[in-house]
Amino acid sequence: MVVTNAPTADENGSKEGTARSFIAASEILVNPDIARVYTDILLNQPTTNSSIERRLDLAGSTTSMRVGKLKNLDIVEDVSSGKESQLRTDSLFLPVGEGETRILLDPLTIAAYGASGEVSEIELFVDRHGKAKLLMAVEQTRAYLSGEVTRRGAADRLNVDEIEAISITQALEPIIALFVKAGLIDDSFEHDVHDRKIRNTPYVFEQE
């Protein structure tokens, strides 16, 4: 799997790439269904509409509409002219802020948000605390898995009660582990995530 960063101002000598990334991220992060299709393409590229339909259990018209939206955002493209187009995408990275307040909107954040329509614990967390807190929850779940913090420590950093922290970190763990398995991130875990939990995420990674 070849994964490249979305263009940035430094790469193309202008602000156009950064603006395009900002617009794409803004659009994706208001629609978990679009975020989920983007994540599926990223995990399994190159892929086809029919494969997306099968993996995500979507109707053909629904898949075409969501893929079309991603194409309009210039983050999914056709890379072949065969009977059925092969689809590819870029990893979307958008840094916001500077110094200690700097955050990074990235494919893992998008995947977590995309799962909110399928995983009740994530949906409830977003409803209660918003998408910004979900991004922080992804960071703290990675910190927990790496052994940097306990679940109680994650709760303190998120400023939520411990039960909520346990619920959201457990919901996010298999998505993070799937990204490691797919080679999209290279985190090392102190706490293992069972393969059964990974298989139960709203995503399927088929390219072993």
Side-chain angles (χ1 to χ4, degrees):
M1 180 185 300
V2 177
V3 181
T4 59
N5 292 351
T8 66
D10 288 339
E11 290 169 343
N12 64 16
S14 74
K15 296 180 180 179
E16 182 180 352
T18 300
R20 188 162 62 248
S21 295
F22 175 80
I23 292 168
S26 299
E27 290 285 342
I28 290 173
L29 290 174
V30 298
N31 191 328
D33 295 329
I34 299 297
R36 188 168 173 235
V37 171
Y38 164 80
T39 301
D40 180 80
I41 297 171
L42 183 66
L43 285 167
N44 296 289
Q45 62 182 322
T47 190
T48 63
N49 275 26
S50 60
S51 294
I52 297 169
E53 292 170 28
R54 172 177 51 79
R55 285 190 297 265
L56 301 186
D57 193 24
L58 298 174
S61 58
T62 301
T63 301
S64 296
M65 179 185 66
R66 294 175 185 174
V67 169
K69 177 70 172 178
L70 291 166
K71 287 181 179 178
N72 289 339
L73 292 171
D74 290 329
I75 56 171
V76 166
E77 63 176 350
D78 295 327
V79 293
S80 71
S81 56
K83 184 176 181 181
E84 187 172 13
S85 296
Q86 296 283 316
L87 304 170
R88 295 187 71 90
T89 189
D90 288 331
S91 288
L92 185 61
F93 293 97
L94 185 64
V96 179
E98 297 180 354
E100 293 184 357
T101 62
R102 184 180 184 273
I103 61 172
L104 182 66
L105 298 175
D106 61 5
L108 185 55
T109 306
I110 294 170
Y113 178 60
S116 65
E118 304 291 324
V119 180
S120 59
E121 293 85 355
I122 299 177
E123 181 180 26
L124 181 60
F125 188 86
V126 172
D127 286 345
R128 286 181 174 175
H129 301 289
K131 299 169 193 172
K133 187 79 80 173
L134 178 63
L135 186 152
M136 295 173 61
V138 171
E139 291 180 346
Q140 293 310 311
T141 304
R142 295 176 77 174
Y144 166 74
L145 287 172
S146 69
E148 179 184 329
V149 297
T150 63
R151 290 197 197 275
R152 178 174 293 180
D156 290 341
R157 290 182 178 185
L158 291 171
N159 195 27
V160 300
D161 66 51
E162 191 171 351
I163 293 176
E164 278 192 296
I166 291 171
S167 177
I168 189 61
T169 55
Q170 287 182 339
L172 292 171
E173 284 170 14
I175 298 173
I176 295 169
L178 181 64
F179 266 56
V180 171
K181 185 176 181 180
L184 293 172
I185 58 176
D186 60 358
D187 294 25
S188 297
F189 294 161
E190 289 289 327
H191 304 283
D192 291 334
V193 181
H194 197 281
D195 282 345
R196 177 176 52 80
K197 290 186 67 176
I198 298 174
R199 289 194 297 270
N200 287 335
T201 71
Y203 301 108
V204 176
F205 172 55
E206 292 186 327
Q207 297 184 4
E208 300 293 344

